[in-house]
């Protein structure tokens, strides 16, 4: 159960953390989507309000001015009965009847009209005719101008009113926008008596240019900052004539679809105003806060997951290390106990005088010596390792002939080799190698460890090769065996402290897992390298590569030929 929990801890903890985080993210995402969905409505409302504000500003301006300009009193029109100018009135009579209207018009100064006019109904030779007279500002009088381009539009606009005049139909004196002819837009006002009988129709021909270039742009710009305090610079407002002819635009907006459009009413109905605000500040705010929240939540999730993974890895490493240490104690105790037990047996036999021949005594003595050497080596390894771990290990480099080192290593290992029946072939180059700066004792420990491993993991193969040579400018010492070998995936790890190959063919060999880590440390302190070439079941070759010149250059050479260097690592 414990191992199950240990093994599945990660997969148990991840959902515990991930589920609430995912729920939080989902809830946040949904509420932000809801805000986003509501935003277009808010945008529609804002732009519609803006268009209405511009419209009413412009229309109020025209209404007020038209009302005042066209507000001729019914009493100002003379000779009328039921609205018509009587007594076979001709042109002269009609002019005389509206003479006082000019007095009213001359007081008006509305810039938005091109021409002011009045239409009256006349009775002539028993028939009815409408008479249209324009105000002439130069003469300050009403005049006929039958060739005027506006005549047609005025005739069309006034015809229904003239019928009302003849039939005595009551009419409300409201302003009306007449936009039948796009080139001649009019505002007209019926002049009525108290009984609401129409006596004349006053009107103005509108100046569309002034409307499109002055009045509307002013209203557009006045209202923008009021309606979109934070976004008015981005707003694209366009005034179009007859739907597609752009007559004014705050800025180029390409083919973008406007957020809202509105037709001018009741005057200038040929003009349409539209607006597009690329993104409202509220929208931007919501989108930005959504992205920030999303980023933060994802970042937090990542951090938690990363922290969790790191904590789990650290815990796993800790557990593994503690397991390795326990194994180490067990292995070391075993390693110490075995030679000690044989030393005790042989020395007891010697003490009890059970050895009757001198040869036997020599044999026992040699055995005791070899076992105590082994003990010394194990203890030296442990001591060296603890020195390295605590950073107390220092090295003294002396230029040494490596052949001497190899010879001594063989001598140290000789009893062990003899006992196990291993044969060592020593291969050295014919020409002498130049001396290499090494810490003699440390390198001896490294080499004996490699030879010891070659014996331990030989699985009956009695051949061991010890080779001295050169490789890539390094002095190379190779210890080669034909034993169990090391699997490729283990070849790097065997140099870690306490690490022992736990699968395959090594189960029955005892060891502390310190030898190779010690070798690696010593070699690296020499700025060298340790390599392994191995194949499972075929044996291994461990090679120590030692720099020949580098150390010479890096460390000052003492007169005695001794170099001093502190250990590089730890
Ligand atoms: P120990 O030998 O005490 O276990 P080492 O650090 O010397 O510790 O070696 C680490 C591991 O590397 C060994 O447990 C063994 O599995 C593997 N190993 C070392 N040398 C050899 C070799 N010559 N042949 C096969 N495996 C080896």
């Amino acid at each position: 159960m414990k191992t199950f929990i240990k093994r599945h801890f990660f997969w148990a903890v991840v959902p515990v953390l991930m589920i609430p985080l995912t729920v939080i993210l989902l809830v946040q995402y949904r509420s932000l989507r809801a805000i986003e969905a509501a935003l277009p409505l808010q945008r529609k409302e804002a732009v519609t309000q803006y268009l209405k504000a511009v419209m009413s500003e412009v229309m109020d301006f025209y209404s007020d001015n038209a009302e005042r300009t066209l507000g001729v009193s019914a009493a100002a029109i003379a000779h009328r009965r039921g609205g018509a100018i009587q007594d076979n009135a001709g042109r002269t009579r009609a002019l005389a009847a509206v003479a006082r209207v000019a007095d009213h018009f001359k007081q008006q100064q509305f810039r938005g009209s091109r021409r002011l006019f009045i239409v009256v109904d006349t009775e002539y030779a028993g028939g009815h005719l409408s008479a249209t007279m324009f105000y002439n500002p130069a003469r300050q009088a009403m005049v006929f101008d039958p060739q005027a381009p506006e005549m047609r539009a005025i005739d069309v606009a006034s015809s229904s009113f003239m019928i009302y005049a003849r039939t005595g139909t009551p009419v409300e004196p409201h302003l009306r926008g007449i936009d039948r002819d796009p080139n001649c837009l009019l505002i007209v006002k019926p002049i009525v008596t108290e009984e609401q009988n129409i006596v004349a129709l006053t009107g103005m021909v509108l100046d569309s240019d002034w409307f499109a270039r002055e009045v509307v742009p002013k209203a557009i710009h006045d209202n923008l900052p009021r309606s979109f305090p934070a976004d008015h610079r981005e707003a694209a407002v366009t005034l179009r004539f007859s739907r597609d002819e752009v007559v004014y635009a705050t800025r180029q907006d390409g083919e973008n679809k406007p957020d809202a459009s509105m037709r001018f009413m009741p005057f200038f109905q040929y003009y349409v105003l539209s607006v597009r605000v690329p993104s409202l500040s509220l929208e931007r705010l919501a989108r930005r806060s959504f992205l920030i929240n999303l980023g933060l939540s994802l970042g937090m999730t990542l951090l938690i997951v990363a922290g969790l993974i790191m904590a789990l890895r650290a815990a796993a490493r800790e557990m593994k290390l503690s397991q390795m240490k326990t194994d180490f104690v067990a292995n070391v105790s075993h390693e110490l106990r075995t030679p000690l037990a044989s030393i005790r047996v042989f020395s007891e036999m010697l003490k009890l005088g059970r050895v009757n021949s001198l040869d036997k005594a020599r044999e026992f003595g040699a055995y005791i010596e070899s076992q105590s050497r082994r003990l010394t080596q194990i203890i030296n390894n442990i001591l060296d390792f603890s020195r390295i771990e605590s950073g107390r290990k220092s090295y003294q480099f002396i230029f040494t002939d490596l052949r001497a080192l190899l010879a001594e290593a063989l001598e140290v290992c000789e009893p062990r080799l003899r006992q196990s029946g291993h044969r060592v072939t020593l291969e050295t180059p014919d020409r002498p190698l130049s001396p290499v700066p090494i810490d003699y004792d440390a390198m001896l420990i490294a080499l004996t460890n490699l030879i010891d491993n070659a014996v331990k993991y030989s699985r009956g193969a009695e051949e061991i090769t010890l080779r001295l040579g050169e490789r890539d400018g390094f002095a190379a010492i190779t210890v080669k065996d034909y034993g169990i070998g090391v699997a490729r995936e283990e070849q790097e790890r065997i140099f870690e402290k306490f690490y022992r190959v736990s699968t395959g063919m090594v189960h029955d060999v005892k060891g502390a897992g310190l030898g190779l880590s010690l070798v690696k440390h010593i070699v690296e302190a020499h700025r060298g390298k340790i390599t392994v070439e191995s194949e499972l079941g075929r044996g291994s070759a461990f090679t120590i590569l030692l720099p020949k010149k580098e150390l010479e250059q890096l460390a000052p050479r003492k007169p005695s030929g001794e170099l001093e260097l502190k250990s590089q690592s730890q």
Side-chain angles (χ1 to χ4, degrees):
M1 183 66 187
K2 242 182 174 175
T3 26
F4 180 83
I5 291 174
K6 241 191 258 170
R7 202 167 295 159
H8 297 86
F9 180 69
F10 182 77
W11 301 115
V13 169
V14 166
V16 168
L17 275 169
M18 293 303 279
I19 289 170
L21 266 172
T22 318
V23 170
I24 291 172
L25 272 176
L26 267 177
V27 169
Q28 203 180 41
Y29 180 72
R30 286 190 58 172
S31 70
L32 284 163
R33 284 309 295 257
I35 292 176
E36 275 207 333
L39 279 173
L41 294 176
Q42 184 259 348
R43 163 195 285 264
K44 187 97 190 151
E45 178 65 22
V47 291
T48 309
Q49 284 307 326
Y50 168 75
L51 290 178
K52 278 186 181 159
V54 175
M55 290 284 159
S56 69
E57 186 175 316
V58 174
M59 292 298 106
D60 287 354
F61 173 72
Y62 273 90
S63 291
D64 292 351
N65 279 292
E67 197 72 63
R68 207 182 48 246
T69 310
L70 304 178
V72 174
S73 154
I77 291 133
H79 314 300
R80 58 189 161 77
R81 196 193 58 204
I85 309 294
Q86 305 158 305
D87 303 331
N88 289 333
R91 291 160 61 100
T92 335
R93 252 186 194 284
L95 279 176
V98 300
R100 280 173 57 204
V101 175
D103 295 340
H104 172 83
F105 283 156
K106 78 178 176 201
Q107 285 162 27
Q108 310 304 326
Q109 286 156 353
F110 178 46
R111 169 76 187 77
S113 78
R114 275 193 293 157
R115 293 190 99 172
L116 296 171
F117 61 88
I118 188 161
V119 187
V120 291
D121 183 33
T122 60
E123 238 180 56
Y124 180 69
H128 281 269
L129 266 180
S130 63
T132 302
M133 288 148 284
F134 291 92
Y135 174 65
N136 182 322
R139 288 167 49 193
Q140 295 197 338
M142 303 306 293
V143 295
F144 278 103
D145 183 3
Q147 303 308 319
E150 297 91 358
M151 277 307 291
R152 218 175 110 83
I154 294 172
D155 278 348
V156 174
S158 62
S159 55
S160 57
F161 289 101
M162 291 304 105
I163 291 166
Y164 298 149
R166 279 162 217 156
T167 52
T169 313
V171 174
E172 292 281 343
H174 298 322
L175 294 174
R176 288 166 175 80
I178 310 287
D179 288 358
R180 290 208 186 93
D181 179 355
N183 298 313
C184 184
L185 306 182
L186 309 172
I187 296 180
V188 297
K189 178 177 167 68
I191 308 300
V192 299
T193 60
E194 270 174 17
E195 295 80 39
Q196 297 202 323
N197 284 328
I198 181 165
V199 291
L201 185 75
T202 51
M204 58 171 68
V205 180
L206 290 166
D207 182 346
S208 300
D209 274 0
W210 194 68
F211 165 81
R213 302 200 201 294
E214 303 279 336
V215 183
V216 178
K218 182 176 175 309
I220 286 175
H221 288 286
D222 284 353
N223 283 283
L224 271 179
R226 270 179 244 149
S227 298
F228 312 109
D231 316 292
H232 60 275
R233 276 189 197 83
E234 293 177 32
V237 190
T238 312
L239 178 67
R240 285 188 173 80
F241 177 70
S242 281
R243 280 251 166 240
D244 45 9
E245 183 193 335
V246 175
V247 286
Y248 179 79
T250 53
R251 63 188 185 80
Q252 285 292 333
D253 199 31
E255 292 298 302
N256 287 319
K257 195 175 174 301
D259 292 323
S261 297
M262 207 174 266
R263 180 178 290 282
F264 278 88
M265 281 287 214
F267 321 125
F268 295 101
Q269 291 176 37
Y270 273 94
Y271 289 85
V272 174
L273 192 65
S274 54
V275 61
R276 192 178 77 87
V277 190
S279 64
L280 288 177
S281 45
L282 192 65
E283 265 175 46
R284 279 204 301 272
L285 206 73
R287 203 168 301 137
R288 206 172 56 207
S289 83
F290 171 73
L291 288 178
I292 289 174
N293 285 347
L294 193 74
L296 280 178
S297 310
L298 284 177
M300 241 170 60
T301 314
L302 280 179
L303 273 180
I304 291 174
V305 171
L308 194 73
I309 290 173
M310 272 159 70
L312 285 173
R313 284 182 65 174
R317 213 178 301 132
E318 232 13 79
M319 268 157 58
K320 191 151 182 219
L321 206 64
S322 108
Q323 181 61 45
M324 278 173 154
K325 282 183 178 162
T326 315
D327 292 351
F328 167 74
V329 173
N331 288 339
V332 166
S333 321
H334 179 90
E335 284 242 320
L336 293 176
R337 217 180 291 130
T338 319
L340 271 176
S342 23
I343 289 172
R344 204 177 61 222
V345 171
F346 285 113
S347 36
E348 265 176 11
M349 282 169 91
L350 285 173
K351 187 180 89 180
L352 295 174
R354 297 243 175 98
V355 187
N356 30 30
S357 79
L358 196 59
D359 281 352
K360 214 58 182 159
R362 273 209 192 97
E363 189 191 319
F364 282 13
Y367 199 82
I368 289 171
E369 193 205 352
S370 117
Q371 290 301 319
S372 24
R373 271 181 194 271
R374 172 120 196 87
L375 273 178
T376 315
Q377 193 199 350
I378 295 167
I379 290 164
N380 277 347
N381 265 3
I382 295 170
L383 287 179
D384 264 16
F385 178 76
S386 98
R387 259 186 235 122
I388 287 169
E389 283 286 282
S390 60
R392 283 182 290 112
K393 175 99 179 150
S394 66
Y395 296 88
Q396 285 207 330
F397 297 96
I398 299 169
F399 277 91
T400 310
D401 181 352
L402 291 182
R403 276 178 305 191
L405 177 79
L406 261 61
E408 178 149 0
L410 277 182
E411 201 183 310
V412 171
C413 296
E414 198 272 333
R416 174 101 209 260
L417 291 164
R418 188 164 21 94
Q419 213 168 50
S420 59
H422 280 83
R423 261 193 333 273
V424 176
T425 316
L426 184 62
E427 292 177 7
T428 49
D430 298 338
R431 57 182 181 84
L433 285 176
S434 51
V436 177
I438 56 165
D439 181 310
Y440 193 85
D441 291 340
M443 203 42 80
L444 194 63
I445 288 176
L447 209 51
T448 48
N449 264 298
L450 290 185
I451 298 172
D452 196 41
N453 278 351
V455 173
K456 279 200 295 186
Y457 303 107
S458 63
R459 200 195 35 171
E462 288 169 356
E463 202 64 35
I464 292 173
T465 309
L466 194 55
R467 187 182 307 129
L468 179 62
E470 275 182 314
R471 196 197 286 176
D472 309 330
F474 287 82
I477 307 167
T478 303
V479 180
K480 184 171 169 55
D481 65 64
Y482 302 89
I484 60 171
V486 185
R488 184 164 288 279
E489 59 277 12
E490 303 274 10
Q491 288 180 5
E492 215 168 297
R493 301 210 61 193
I494 53 174
F495 294 100
E496 290 171 17
K497 62 186 175 192
F498 305 128
Y499 189 80
R500 309 200 68 227
V501 177
S502 52
T503 51
M505 314 175 187
V506 286
H507 274 299
D508 49 339
V509 182
K510 286 290 169 193
L514 289 183
L516 285 182
S517 84
L518 203 65
V519 175
K520 186 169 191 273
H521 181 90
I522 293 169
V523 172
E524 283 175 355
H526 285 71
R527 299 191 193 167
K529 286 181 252 175
I530 169 96
T531 65
V532 58
E533 289 152 59
S534 183
E535 209 179 311
L536 263 187
R538 299 203 138 202
S540 325
F542 287 85
T543 303
I544 294 174
L545 296 168
L546 293 170
K548 291 191 294 181
K549 290 194 199 117
E550 255 176 55
L551 211 61
E552 217 174 358
Q553 285 161 358
L554 285 170
R557 190 174 176 156
K558 287 191 173 174
S560 60
E562 187 178 309
L563 290 172
E564 268 200 357
L565 264 188
K566 264 273 181 201
S567 158
Q568 295 302 303
S569 32
Q570 314 246 6

